[in-house]
Amino acid sequence: MKHLSLSRSSRKAFTLIELLVVIAIIAILAAMLLPALASAKERARRAACKNNQHQMCIALQIYGGDYSDKMPDLSQAPYGPVGAWPWDLSSAFIVNMTASGCSKDVFYDPGYPSWDCDDTWNFQVNYQGMAASAVTFRITGYFWILKGIPQMPATVYTPVKITGDGNHPPSSTPFAACVIISDPAKTQYGGITAGTAAFAAKNLQSTSHLTKNKPPGSNHAFLDGHVEWIAYNTMTNSFGLPLFEW
């Protein structure tokens, strides 16, 4: 019985057209998968951010238990006055929060990971222009809605008690949010110059959780301990120059 076999010369190889078709198919599949992958990464960042803010909520509840339900006044000693921007937070208050379970990384939004660095954390320590008598602070990666926070207008409600007061129940009173910062025309959300010139030159602040260079929204931490994602198109609060929104 004879066995048929193909000679080397009779075997088929890929033609150029077939190869181009395969490459085109791979490119189409990649184009379909990349947005889904980017979306999955952003969901993971939002989840990590939410976990950070949840830890802040727990720490704040513990703080309230130690200080008769009172929120910190960051315009008064030993917490302030400090800094120049809404993400500047008193070192003394950070010490209280870390004692209640917050680590350094918790104070930085995973939506803008490059802000979590020694330059921001140790800014005042390294800044020679700071008066020796000034209350120390650290640059964090979140926007703080607390009494005494730099640039916070008097018209913005800042809680006095952790359990809420008057018409501001804890379930609807935020104390921290992801940073949304832009120029006055709202045309630029990334790489905003804010802060001391030498520092800002190499550490540009940016909106967290950018999607196609636009803010989709922000996680907000509330006094009652819950964290909620707020869509950008539903936000109504803003102030400052550059513009801060939440």
Side-chain angles (χ1 to χ4, degrees), residues 51-66:
N51 182 62
N52 279 2
Q53 292 195 17
H54 183 62
Q55 292 183 60
M56 293 177 195
C57 289
I58 294 172
L60 191 67
Q61 295 291 331
I62 295 172
Y63 175 91
D66 293 338

Side-chain angles (χ1 to χ4, degrees), residues 63 67 74 77-80 82 89-98 135-138:
Y63 175 91
Y67 289 88
L74 301 177
Y79 300 124
V82 298
L89 194 61
S90 162
S91 295
F93 183 56
I94 286 177
V95 167
N96 285 328
M97 295 286 277
T98 53
V135 178
T136 61
F137 69 92
R138 298 189 186 277

Side-chain angles (χ1 to χ4, degrees), residues 20-218:
L20 291 175
V21 168
V22 170
I23 293 173
I25 292 172
I26 293 173
I28 292 170
L29 291 174
M32 294 172 61
L33 292 174
L34 284 177
L37 180 60
S39 178
K41 286 183 176 179
E42 173 57 17
R43 286 196 299 271
R45 286 191 289 265
R46 291 186 195 180
C49 170
K50 188 173 184 178
N51 182 62
N52 279 2
Q53 292 195 17
H54 183 62
Q55 292 183 60
M56 293 177 195
C57 289
I58 294 172
L60 191 67
Q61 295 291 331
I62 295 172
Y63 175 91
D66 293 338
Y67 289 88
S68 303
D69 190 38
K70 293 181 180 179
M71 292 289 290
D73 183 346
L74 301 177
S75 67
Q76 303 294 325
Y79 300 124
V82 298
W85 301 93
W87 46 72
D88 293 342
L89 194 61
S90 162
S91 295
F93 183 56
I94 286 177
V95 167
N96 285 328
M97 295 286 277
T98 53
S100 301
C102 289
S103 64
K104 168 183 173 290
D105 291 341
V106 166
F107 293 97
Y108 294 96
D109 194 332
Y112 186 43
S114 62
W115 205 237
D116 184 0
C117 64
D118 289 342
D119 278 351
T120 52
W121 185 248
N122 297 321
F123 169 70
Q124 192 193 29
V125 175
N126 298 328
Y127 177 40
Q128 300 302 313
M130 188 65 63
S133 60
V135 178
T136 61
F137 69 92
R138 298 189 186 277
I139 298 174
T140 71
Y142 286 100
F143 172 88
W144 301 91
I145 310 164
L146 298 171
K147 187 176 182 180
I149 282 293
Q151 298 191 36
M152 185 67 66
T155 53
V156 173
Y157 174 76
T158 52
V160 177
K161 295 181 179 180
I162 294 175
T163 52
D165 25 271
N167 297 320
H168 302 91
S171 61
S172 60
T173 306
F175 68 90
C178 303
V179 172
I180 295 181
I181 180 175
S182 66
D183 59 22
K186 296 187 181 182
T187 59
Q188 181 185 357
Y189 290 92
I192 301 294
T193 299
T196 305
F199 172 81
K202 67 171 184 174
N203 298 280
L204 296 179
Q205 178 57 295
S206 176
T207 294
S208 301
H209 307 287
L210 282 174
T211 300
K212 295 182 179 179
N213 296 318
K214 296 291 183 180
S218 163

